[in-house]
Amino acid sequence: MNNGLKTGELEPDVPPAHEAFSRRLSSVQARIGQALADAGREATSVHLLAVSKTFDAPAVRELAACGQREFGENYVQEALDKQQALRDLPLEWHFIGPIQSNKTRAIAENFSWVHSIDRLKIAERLSAQRPTGVPPLQVCIELNVSGEASKGGVAVAELPALAQAMSALPGLQLRGVMAIPAPATDIAAQRAAFRQVREAFEALIARGYALDTLSMGMSADLEAAILEGATIVRVGTALFGERNKHA
Ligand SMILES: *Cc1c(COP(=O)(O)O)cnc(C)c1O
């Protein structure tokens, strides 16, 4: 391969993979910054969660080397393997996938945040299994505003009861609401779904819950989510590239 170097010359010390990650991260940060400016919101009011599912530990390490600290994972065993390989880095791990009862202990012991709680039984297990001596698990309730029965998340009508029951659990700190609305191509439709999430979130705050987290918006719709008040956007493809289909 001709890389433009004469034989015996040193390899460039910044490999192309690093440049690609750095460029994609800057581009996502610029999109977030522009959406915040358009919304008239403070420049630091959104956290970027890098969704690394299906990408390997070296890819996460590259993005971490660009300054990214918060990573989201959907599959427990895959996440534990990556955490082990990257334990020398000061990363914060968020679990964002569907939760099976037999995986709650691994999640309670190895993550700082869980975004995808939609059943009290799962919340109770996570709380009971959260180790003592570490901060409570920071959690969001997943809300289903698309009415798709096949998808996770509670209906808006069930949200207050679940929030009330969860806020009594000592191992959890309820921070807010997460949603994955059905994909829509036009921004008006995207915003309409995110607005429903925000309204449900604000209704909980009006009931007296101290919540600060609205986890919504992905690679294709983060602008609409930020215009509707998102405080965490969960971005995979725009940072890591296209995923191979996961089994
Ligand atoms: C995969 C995934 C994302 C990231 O989606 P992209 O379209 O790749 O940005 C965000 N949130 C959840 C819950 C996911 O499963």
Side-chain angles (χ1 to χ4, degrees):
M1 191 177 74
N2 180 359
N3 58 8
L5 298 172
K6 295 198 204 84
T7 313
E9 244 179 304
L10 289 173
E11 291 289 329
D13 54 11
V14 180
H18 183 79
E19 279 167 34
F21 278 105
S22 170
R23 184 169 34 74
R24 288 191 295 244
L25 180 59
S26 301
S27 149
V28 170
Q29 285 167 338
R31 286 176 61 191
I32 292 170
Q34 184 61 54
L36 282 168
D38 291 345
R41 296 177 52 191
E42 254 184 74
T44 55
S45 56
V46 166
H47 284 263
L48 172 59
L49 182 65
V51 177
S52 42
K53 63 169 180 243
T54 78
F55 292 97
D56 61 10
V60 173
R61 190 176 286 283
E62 285 291 354
L63 198 56
C66 301
Q68 178 65 30
R69 286 282 167 272
E70 295 154 288
F71 289 88
E73 288 282 340
N74 296 55
Y75 308 101
V76 174
Q77 192 53 51
E78 180 193 323
L80 297 184
D81 292 344
K82 268 178 250 186
Q83 290 174 349
Q84 177 67 15
L86 299 165
R87 62 191 184 283
D88 57 310
L89 299 178
L91 305 182
E92 181 178 272
W93 295 95
H94 295 225
F95 192 80
I96 63 173
I99 305 172
Q100 296 162 284
S101 299
N102 63 355
K103 298 287 167 59
T104 52
R105 182 174 297 281
I107 294 171
E109 291 178 350
N110 293 287
F111 287 81
S112 299
W113 280 73
V114 179
H115 293 225
S116 43
I117 298 181
D118 62 3
R119 282 189 290 152
L120 182 58
K121 181 181 168 222
I122 294 292
E124 286 170 342
R125 290 177 64 94
L126 289 169
S127 175
Q129 293 166 342
R130 182 68 169 171
T132 51
V134 296
L137 204 50
Q138 308 297 299
V139 300
C140 292
I141 296 175
E142 183 176 350
L143 189 62
N144 182 339
V145 289
S146 306
E148 293 169 274
S150 60
K151 292 276 174 63
V154 296
V156 174
E158 299 163 18
L159 182 61
L162 184 55
Q164 185 176 26
M166 279 173 57
S167 50
L169 298 173
L172 307 185
Q173 182 173 359
L174 182 60
R175 297 290 295 270
V177 173
M178 179 273 239
I180 317 171
T185 45
D186 74 295
I187 190 147
Q190 292 171 356
R191 285 190 66 166
F194 290 132
R195 192 173 309 128
Q196 287 183 60
V197 184
R198 172 168 51 83
E199 286 169 358
F201 171 73
E202 287 173 347
L204 282 185
I205 293 173
R207 285 172 181 258
Y209 295 96
L211 306 178
D212 62 5
T213 301
L214 202 40
S215 167
M216 59 188 194
M218 315 199 292
S219 294
D221 56 14
L222 67 88
E223 285 85 358
I226 290 171
L227 287 166
E228 294 298 337
T231 66
I232 298 182
V233 291
R234 308 176 312 268
V235 177
T237 312
L239 292 171
F240 288 98
E242 291 296 330
R243 281 183 294 277
N244 294 318
K245 285 274 172 272
H246 201 275

